[in-house]
Each structure stands twice: as structure tokens, then as C-alpha cells.
Amino acid sequence: PERPHVGLADGFLESAGRDCYSLEAQTIFFMIDLKPDSVLTVKFSGLLKLPVFNQGERGCLAVAEVAKQIPFPLKRFYVISGVQSVSLVRGGHAHKSFQQAIFVLAGSFDLLLDDGEQKQNFRLSDPSLGLVLGPGLWHELKNISPDAVILVVSDSWFDEGDYLRDYAAFIAWQTKVDD
């Protein structure tokens, strides 16, 4: 089946203060110097920029709405926290049809995205920025800080049959799908 390219979601920044995470104050760092308005070169992905509202002493509020900042309907979410060592790797798989978006709510981590042809590494440390993980995109979470809280939202219920957990099988599947 043909997989659409996932582009930049409709997001904006409003009234971010110096003490809030903001697109001006934080960017996603990776091998190429990505700016918040850059287009990702890895296929099946997209940058999500959430609106951030500075509420003074009450802190900052980052908001995501389905069909606005999140480009797919939500059926499931999960939270990763309490990773005991920065040497542990999470993820290490791709999905055949699932779409997901990933955010860091606290702490930081590195995210490797691999579409079978090219790879990009990102450093996520800003809760107002996330990445779409589209179908056919291998991903690995590395260098997860001990205080990291990672949120993943998905358009599908859990289904083990949608996972590609072996990298060689992922590459073979990519070749078959692209033919």
C-alpha cells in the first residue's frame, strides 16, 4: 500500500515567556542543524510545534488538539519514565501501519529515525516540540535522562502484528512496500 508523506503539522507559538520552553529558546538538535521551521529529510515523519501559553507564576501551558497539531485520531497513549540507565535503548522497531507522535514532557532523550534510506538523530528536550513517527519509520530512543517522561500517542490499538522488531526484516519490508 502507498504510504503518504507526513508533513509539518499545523502548529503555532503564542506568548511564550523566557521561563517557558519555546521555539525561540529551544530547538531540536541533530546531526544537521534543524531549525523549528525546517523540513525533515527522513520520510514518514514530521515536526509538531505546539502552542505555548505563558501564564506567569502559574507556569506555561502547551496544548495539542487532534486534527490541529496531532495529524491523526487518537486511540492510545503511553508514557515512558523511570529508565534506570542512559545506556538503555527503547524502541528499536518500526510499524507497518500505525502513526504515532512522540513528546518529552520532562528530561531529554535522543531519537534516531530511519526510513530505510536515510537516518536522522534528534535531541528532544522541549515539551512543546514533538515528532510524528509514521508507518515504515524505524525509531530508537537513546541517552534517556533519568528524569525523562516521554509521551507517545497513537492512532491504533496495540497489535503485535504491526511491529517490525528486526532491522533486517524492516529493510526487507521497506523494499517490498516500495516496489
Side-chain angles (χ1 to χ4, degrees):
E2 186 175 325
R3 293 169 292 170
H5 176 74
V6 179
L8 181 66
D10 177 26
F12 59 94
L13 177 71
E14 190 173 307
S15 303
R18 189 172 53 175
D19 297 326
C20 296
Y21 286 97
S22 71
L23 297 179
E24 289 85 14
Q26 292 281 343
T27 58
I28 296 176
F29 299 99
F30 68 114
M31 302 293 219
I32 310 165
D33 186 21
L34 178 70
K35 303 292 185 220
D37 59 353
S38 296
V39 176
L40 303 178
T41 59
V42 68
K43 295 183 289 189
F44 320 124
S45 65
L47 176 65
L48 302 174
K49 299 186 284 186
L50 303 182
V52 177
F53 302 93
N54 183 342
Q55 298 182 324
E57 292 178 355
R58 295 175 49 209
C60 298
L61 176 66
V63 178
E65 295 179 337
V66 173
K68 286 187 177 181
Q69 292 81 27
I70 307 295
F72 50 79
L74 300 183
K75 289 192 177 173
R76 179 172 72 111
F77 76 89
Y78 56 94
V79 174
I80 300 168
S81 64
V83 176
Q84 300 297 307
S85 171
V86 295
S87 64
L88 293 173
V89 177
R90 300 282 318 217
H93 63 269
H95 290 283
K96 297 174 187 173
S97 64
F98 289 2
Q99 290 190 82
Q100 298 179 317
I102 189 166
F103 299 89
V104 62
L105 303 180
S108 62
F109 69 97
D110 296 337
L111 179 64
L112 166 72
L113 298 181
D114 179 348
D115 64 17
E117 295 175 7
Q118 54 184 333
K119 299 177 183 181
Q120 288 183 294
N121 286 296
F122 301 86
R123 180 81 179 158
L124 277 77
S125 60
D126 180 342
S128 71
L129 295 174
L131 287 167
V132 172
L133 308 176
L137 187 61
W138 186 268
H139 57 280
E140 296 177 0
L141 290 69
K142 299 178 179 182
N143 300 314
I144 304 169
S145 67
D147 60 339
V149 178
I150 301 164
L151 172 67
V152 181
V153 295
S154 176
D155 71 343
S156 300
W157 309 117
F158 177 81
D159 176 5
E160 183 62 35
D162 193 70
Y163 285 75
L164 296 162
R165 295 189 184 273
D166 176 77
Y167 188 77
F170 161 70
I171 294 298
W173 180 82
Q174 281 288 32
T175 304
K176 184 178 176 182
V177 170
D178 290 339
D179 287 344

